[in-house]
């Protein structure tokens, strides 16, 4: 962005604008969920704890308490606090607002002030979302004390959350905030351990807090149980194994801590109840109402919507119907898919890999939306916000995020069905999708075409759903809703397939590489021999994605040289990826800022340099280029030079971790450093003064010869390639 | 270095956000919603006025439009308003249902679907006419690509709280008239006589939509006169006559249908007088309710101007003072026009032009006859285009203008919307200020350089906040029921007076600079 606004003032202003907008939404439509939450506040205000789950004994209502006790305590906190009491005492808020009422009395009892009060509690609850998203945004950044602004803003300003919480009325922001806090703790634990090089007490505490927060989340809303398997697998591997050995003590510690958090909200209820067993049964029947059917009233866009639709078509055409699906079968199918996520979580835990952590978590969330029993369309939000942070962590997922968001949010359209909300939905949807597209950045022509197809689909659905009057459909009046949910299902399943492929490839690749390198990360003194990892299996021919101006600027390397680099330097896991030229000195200009802009979000880059004397040399970097005061980078980084058309690679020696440095203040990047046995220090390769001058020397990090004849050389041209992970 | 161009997706995002803010405000109650004053028959509110005009134009033949019952919101705007009302009424009939414009039956109708449609018409006309005009006027002159700077100006103009609250909260179609005016200004400040002709067509359309746009008339007239005299008056006659023909033709096309049709026994002249009498209600008094202008202030206790000047002389007095106050901008606009419009210094010329229009509108607001508090929007629209040149003044002026609408917004129960839009606007302003690395365009702004004016604007902020706090905490003594609305108009009038002086100073300053060149 060209606006040089500090993050702090941007945050404050965004907060003010967002909150003002939410207040402006006070008079908008609210659903029965509003009445539900009002009733729960009344229940927790007026009934003793043991009676909370028997509220229908006292009043005739269908808005009975059907969330776990933790949420009941939250409602109780909203209903019984100093501010609320003061509002009631001073008659700013009318008594009836928090009174136990029968359903038939509700119609005339809801005053504007009551609505304002209830909506304010949601705004207060959103503070947790902002806090959680903030910690998440810090946790996904590799450097300390910086924050992923796109990830943060695209989460807190997600129109889906605004529609759900501030129009439809729910507390999703608050719940997601708790989930974020929990995940952020897990991410931080990994960051901490990687930075210190060994497990520390602090990272253990982070994990315990993460587990506890997830337990608290479960007591707030049991819908998140679908993520429990992921959490179990992850924490079992991450926390209960020390140096690949299982430790029963740590499992006990984890189990006791988590169960404690899980049980705490139940205890007061059970202790005060005269018949605890009855209460347990009652709570269970409220929390898991299996009598409700496979799909929700509006079909949420998941596989069961498709199943139902096929069923309907079958019934029409052949007078036959597909077999009924029982909750048990649904559960088994879901479990099967969740197991894959759990496997990935296990790997992420073993490798301390935050990327895979978020990837598998987003996958699990998506599985639970797509395959669970009686899903609400709102459940997609968990997936979308997790994908947002995944995209913030690695930009290759932005397009996937864009498409899932396009379909996921479209699926929420029928939720706000009144005409006055139509323009709200349309404008906020357009604004968000356009901004998200700007975040996606440069796209290839195929990707553009794909986005175009999605746009046409979304447009068609909106016209069907909102543009045509209901009389147009005649006897097919269910058609707009059915088409919406089927289109969303198709879009989301397609995204899910891509997400799954990405995850499986990521897993299979890292299985090989990481097994060999994980040990080396823990112990610097052991030098790995990266060659052993790499020279197995077949290396596919290098493919370079065509940009429009490729004819004008030929590549510095010949195809043969590229192939050699692919064989000798590129980590095996990404040799199948097409290359794309991100930056070319003579094309994009000799500006450091331009370089930074072009390589932003690329976790692996290949640099090719031609000196004015005609030598070819370069480096492969396996960490993103971000301005940081210290060295970053991992074991697959490499320097190389061309000698008579042959690549001579200098791989990481494992002696130190001075792999790559990005010093934007002095406009230079550097590879390799540290002093050798003789006490001499030199960089392996430095490129400075806006890519005009380079220096090279012997460094211990890569144990390399100087990469060309001159120690200081002038750069004639420079190219940077990125790798399109997840594309074939 | 040329500024970074803005990608299409950011542009779509910006327009959607601008629309979104309008949609959010549209959720608030419109004037007179819920029959707020308990008078079911003719309860106050421009919403019902506009709806009634749709009903009226949709059902009555064109000749009876201006002869309809004046006691229930008779049509008192020029014909283009009536035509637009007809179109909106047609859509209301088709999309919402015939009950929404049913003759006599639909009076005082309150229906969420219908409200949604009414709000949508304002939004659509706003974005189509006002939005497009602002988009064109904020575009950098030299390049066709839009940069972030001009995009920020566009947003700040489109998020003016006063304009948003009146059009999308209170409910009026001001942005349509303002948009037409801005299109007129856009063409008039371009080189070439042809552009002047197009500009004057737009201005005449604005005039036949809302008579209030006459506030710009002296400035526009003298500017165009100046343009005719340019190049030492070589083509004066040709230019003057062609402009005259354009103006007369446009106005006639707009007015002819209502003059040609009418009750059988009336003559064309009688019909025209009837329309004019409706449009210019001289019998309605010097000012309405409490408004922040000179007459309202002078009618207070020590002066009591309403009693001292005989009623039939009041319009003349108002006219005289108004002409006096428009003198500076008229002179300056004439000079600007007569210098001719060159391609090179268009940006500066447009700046002076906007200052002139602001000055003219402020003069009318301060001194003309039958001023509404909403008329301040006419001064605000050209003024906020200057955000890139003198953002301190624009910031101050837009805040004062919005603040002066508070008594009206209170009646409409738009207090929440007022505070929220203010916060949104201030936050955006802050972001904008924080993003400006060097206030380079700011040279020559009194507010940043001269201590006096800086002090004045800060003092007025303090007074405004204090009055808000006082109003919230103090119960008004029973013998002074209007205390706060009077205070509001006093402070408002003072501020607008200062603003008028400031515009005059900017005009003189601009002249001096031109001379130096």
């Amino acid at each position: 962005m060209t606006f040089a606004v500090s993050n702090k003032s941007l945050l404050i202003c965004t907060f003010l604008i967002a909150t003002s907008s939410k207040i402006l939404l006070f008079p908008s439509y609210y659903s029965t969920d509003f009445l539900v939450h009002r009733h729960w506040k009344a229940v927790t205000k007026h009934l003793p704890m043991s009676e909370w789950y028997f509220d229908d004994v006292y009043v005739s209502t269908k808005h009975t308490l059907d969330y776990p006790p933790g949420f009941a305590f939250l409602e109780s906190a909203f209903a019984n606090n100093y501010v609320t009491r003061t509002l009631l005492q001073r008659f700013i808020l009318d008594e009836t607002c928090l009174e136990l009422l029968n359903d038939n009395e509700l119609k005339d009892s809801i005053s504007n002030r009551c609505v304002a009060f209830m909506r304010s509690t949601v705004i207060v609850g959103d503070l947790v979302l902002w806090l959680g998203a903030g910690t998440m945004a810090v946790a996904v950044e590799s450097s300390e004390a910086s924050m992923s602004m796109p990830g943060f803003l695209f989460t807190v300003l997600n129109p889906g959350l605004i529609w759900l919480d501030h129009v439809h009325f729910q507390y999703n922001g608050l719940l997601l905030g708790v989930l974020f806090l929990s995940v952020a703790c897990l991410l931080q634990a990994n960051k901490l351990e990687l930075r210190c090089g060994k497990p520390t007490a602090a990272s253990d505490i982070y994990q315990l807090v993460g587990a506890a927060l997830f337990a608290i989340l479960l007591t707030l809303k049991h819908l998140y149980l679908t993520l429990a398997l992921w959490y179990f697998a992850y924490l079992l591997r991450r926390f209960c194994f020390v140096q690949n050995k299982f430790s029963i003590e740590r499992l006990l510690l984890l189990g006791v801590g988590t169960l404690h958090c899980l049980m705490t909200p139940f205890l007061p209820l059970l202790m005060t109840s005269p018949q605890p067993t009855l209460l347990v049964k009652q709570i269970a029947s409220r929390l898991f109402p299996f009598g409700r059917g496979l799909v929700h009233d509006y079909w949420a866009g998941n596989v069961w919507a498709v199943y139902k639709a096929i069923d309907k078509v079958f019934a029409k055409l052949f007078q036959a119907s597909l077999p009924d699906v029982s909750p048990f079968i649904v559960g088994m199918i879901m479990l099967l898919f969740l197991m894959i996520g759990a496997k990935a979580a296990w790997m992420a835990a073993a490798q301390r890999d935050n990327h895979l952590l978020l990837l598998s978590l987003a996958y699990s969330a998506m599985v639970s939306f797509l395959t669970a029993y009686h899903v609400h369309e709102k459940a997609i939000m968990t997936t979308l916000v997790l994908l947002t942070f995944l995209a913030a962590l690695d930009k290759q997922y932005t397009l996937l995020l864009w498409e899932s968001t396009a379909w996921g949010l479209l699926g929420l359209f029928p939720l706000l069905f009144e005409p006055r909300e139509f323009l709200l939905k349309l404008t906020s949807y357009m604004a968000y999708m356009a901004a998200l597209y700007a975040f996606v950045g440069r796209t290839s022509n195929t990707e553009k075409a794909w986005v175009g197809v999605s746009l046409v689909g979304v447009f068609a659905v909106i016209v069907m759903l909102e543009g045509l009057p209901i009389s147009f459909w005649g006897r097919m009046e269910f058609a707009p809703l059915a088409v919406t949910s089927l289109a969303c299902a198709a879009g989301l399943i397609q995204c899910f397939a891509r997400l799954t492929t990405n995850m499986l490839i990521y897993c299979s690749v890292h299985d090989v590489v990481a097994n060999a390198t994980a040990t080396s990360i823990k112990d610097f003194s052991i030098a790995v021999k990266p060659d052993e990892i790499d020279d197995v299996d077949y290396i596919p021919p290098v493919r370079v994605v065509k940009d429009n101006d490729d004819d004008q600027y030929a590549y510095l390397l010949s195809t043969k040289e590229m192939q050699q680099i692919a064989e000798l330097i590129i980590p095996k896991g990404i040799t199948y990826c097409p290359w794309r030229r991100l930056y070319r000195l003579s094309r994009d200009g000799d500006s450091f800022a331009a370089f930074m802009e072009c390589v932003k979000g690329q976790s692996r880059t290949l640099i090719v340099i031609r000196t004015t004397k005609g030598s070819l040399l370069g480096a492969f970097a396996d960490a993103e280029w971000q301005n940081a005061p210290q060295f970053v980078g991992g074991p697959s980084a490499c320097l190389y030079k061309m000698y008579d058309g042959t690549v001579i690679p200098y791989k990481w020696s494992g002696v130190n971790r001075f792999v790559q440095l990005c010093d934007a203040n002095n406009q230079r990047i550097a590879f390799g450093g540290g002093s050798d046995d003789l006490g001499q220090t030199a960089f392996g390769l430095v490129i400075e003064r806006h890519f005009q001058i380079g220096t090279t020397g012997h460094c211990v990090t890569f144990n390399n010869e100087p990469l060309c004849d001159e120690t200081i050389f002038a750069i004639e041209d420079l190219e940077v390639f990125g790798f399109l992970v997840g594309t074939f | 270095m040329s500024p970074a161009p803005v990608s299409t997706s950011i542009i779509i995002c910006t327009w959607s956000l601008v629309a979104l803010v309008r949609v959010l405000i549209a959720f608030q109650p419109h004037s007179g919603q819920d029959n707020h004053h308990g008078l079911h028959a003719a309860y106050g509110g421009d919403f019902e006025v506009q709806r009634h005009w749709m009903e009226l134009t949709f059902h009555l033949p064109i000749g009876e439009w201006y002869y309809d019952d004046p006691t229930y919101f008779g049509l008192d705007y020029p014909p283009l308003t009536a035509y637009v009302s007809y179109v909106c009424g047609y859509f209301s009939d088709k999309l919402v249902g015939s009950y929404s414009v049913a003759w006599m039956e639909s009076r005082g109708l309150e229906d969420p679907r219908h409200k949604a449609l009414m709000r949508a018409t304002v939004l659509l006309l706003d974005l189509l006419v006002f939005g497009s005009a602002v988009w064109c006027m904020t575009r950098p002159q030299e390049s066709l690509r839009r940069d972030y700077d001009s995009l920020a100006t566009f947003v700040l103009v489109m998020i003016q709280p006063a304009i948003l609250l009146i059009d999308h909260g209170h409910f009026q179609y001001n942005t349509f008239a303002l948009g037409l005016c801005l299109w007129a200004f856009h063409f008039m400040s371009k080189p070439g006589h042809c552009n002047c002709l197009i500009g004057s067509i737009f201005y005449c359309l604005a005039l036949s939509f809302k008579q209030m746009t006459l506030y710009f008339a002296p400035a526009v007239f003298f500017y165009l006169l100046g343009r005719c005299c340019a190049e030492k008056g070589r083509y004066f006659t040709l230019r003057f006559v062609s402009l005259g023909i354009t103006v007369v033709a446009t106005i006639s096309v707009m007015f002819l249908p209502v003059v040609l049709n009418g009750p059988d026994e009336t003559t064309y002249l009688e019909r025209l007088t009837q329309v004019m009498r409706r449009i210019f209600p001289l019998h309605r008094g010097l000012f309405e309710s409490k408004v922040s202008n000179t007459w309202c202030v002078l009618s207070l206790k020590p002066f009591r101007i309403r009693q001292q000047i005989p009623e039939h002389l009041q319009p003349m007095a108002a006219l005289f003072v108004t002409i006096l106050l428009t003198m500076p901008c008229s002179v300056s606009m004439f000079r600007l026009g007569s210098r001719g419009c060159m391609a090179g210094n268009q940006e500066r010329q447009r700046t002076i032009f906007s200052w002139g229009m602001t000055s003219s509108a402020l003069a009318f607001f301060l001194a003309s006859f039958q001023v509404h508090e909403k008329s301040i929007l006419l001064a605000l629209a050209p003024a906020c285009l200057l955000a890139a040149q003198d953002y301190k003044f624009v910031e101050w002026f837009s805040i004062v203008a919005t603040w002066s609408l508070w008594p009206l917004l209170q009646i409409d129960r738009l207090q929440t919307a007022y505070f929220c839009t203010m916060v949104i606007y201030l936050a955006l302003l802050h972001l904008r200020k924080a993003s400006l690395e060097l206030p380079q365009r700011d040279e020559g702004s009194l507010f940043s350089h001269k201590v006096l004016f800086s002090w004045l604007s800060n003092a007025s902020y303090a007074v405004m906040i204090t009055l808000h706090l006082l109003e919230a905490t103090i119960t008004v003594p029973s013998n002074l029921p209007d205390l706060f609305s009077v205070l509001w108009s006093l402070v408002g009038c003072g501020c607008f007076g200062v603003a008028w002086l400031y515009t005059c100073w900017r005009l003189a300053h601009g002249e001096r600079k031109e001379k130096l060149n």
Side-chain angles (χ1 to χ4, degrees), chain A residues 270-466:
Chain A
L270 294 174
M271 308 254 276
T272 53
S273 170
Q275 292 164 296
T277 36
L278 189 64
L279 180 63
V280 170
K281 271 188 196 158
Q282 174 75 358
I283 294 180
S285 72
R286 286 277 178 86
L287 295 191
F288 303 102
F290 277 113
R292 284 197 187 169
L294 185 61
V295 287
H296 190 237
D297 305 347
Y298 317 113
W299 304 349
N302 68 3
V303 287
W304 303 122
V306 180
Y307 187 81
K308 274 271 177 186
I310 295 172
D311 188 33
K312 288 252 150 88
V313 174
F314 255 62
K316 200 95 188 162
L317 294 180
F318 312 112
Q319 273 77 39
S321 60
L322 296 176
D324 265 346
V325 189
S326 71
F328 178 74
I329 295 178
V330 173
M332 282 301 117
I333 293 174
M334 183 165 84
L335 205 60
L336 188 75
F337 279 100
L338 284 178
M339 291 295 267
I340 303 172
K343 174 74 184 30
W346 183 274
M347 254 185 79
Q351 298 171 15
R352 317 292 192 244
D353 187 344
N354 279 347
H355 183 136
L356 187 56
L357 188 162
L358 269 181
L359 183 58
S360 57
L361 186 59
Y363 165 87
S364 301
M366 205 152 183
V367 166
S368 41
F369 173 78
L370 285 177
T371 59
Y373 194 76
H374 195 80
V375 177
H376 288 238
E377 58 281 70
K378 305 148 208 163
I380 190 65
M381 288 316 297
T382 317
T383 316
L384 295 186
V385 289
L386 286 172
L387 277 179
T388 312
F389 280 111
L390 181 63
L393 183 76
D394 188 337
K395 259 197 117 177
Q396 59 159 308
Y397 295 102
T398 44
L399 204 68
L400 185 67
L401 169 70
W402 190 89
E403 274 187 54
S404 334
T405 311
W407 293 111
L409 291 185
L410 185 67
L412 296 178
F413 266 51
L415 212 56
L416 315 178
F417 53 87
E418 288 195 12
R420 57 183 172 155
E421 269 81 28
F422 169 64
L423 283 174
L424 171 76
K425 287 185 287 186
L426 188 71
T427 50
S428 46
Y429 183 78
M430 276 171 60
Y432 188 75
M433 292 322 296
L436 205 55
Y437 189 75
F439 174 55
V440 170
R442 255 199 265 172
T443 40
S444 72
N445 284 339
T446 8
E447 288 166 345
K448 275 206 185 91
W450 202 230
V451 167
V453 169
S454 306
L455 276 181
V456 171
V458 166
F459 180 74
V461 169
I462 292 181
V463 168
M464 279 184 83
L465 186 67
E466 313 268 356

Side-chain angles (χ1 to χ4, degrees), chain A residues 52 74 117 178 346 430 518 546 605:
Chain A
W52 284 355
L74 186 74
F117 167 74
V178 178
W346 183 274
M430 276 171 60
K546 288 273 177 250
T605 40

Side-chain angles (χ1 to χ4, degrees), chain A residues 1-3 150 395 437-442 580-584 587-589 591-602 605 624-627 662 664 669 691 720, chain B residues 4-5 7 148:
Chain A
M1 285 296 278
T2 45
F3 283 175
K395 259 197 117 177
Y437 189 75
F439 174 55
V440 170
R442 255 199 265 172
R580 179 196 272 168
R581 184 160 61 184
L582 305 169
Y583 174 78
R584 168 85 182 232
R587 179 188 68 182
D588 300 312
S591 141
F592 194 80
F595 163 78
M596 289 297 280
E597 186 56 36
C598 290
V599 301
K600 200 154 93 189
Q602 295 292 330
T605 40
E624 197 185 335
W625 291 108
Q626 277 175 333
N627 187 16
C662 176
I669 57 176
F691 305 117
V720 182
Chain B
S7 64
Y148 279 102

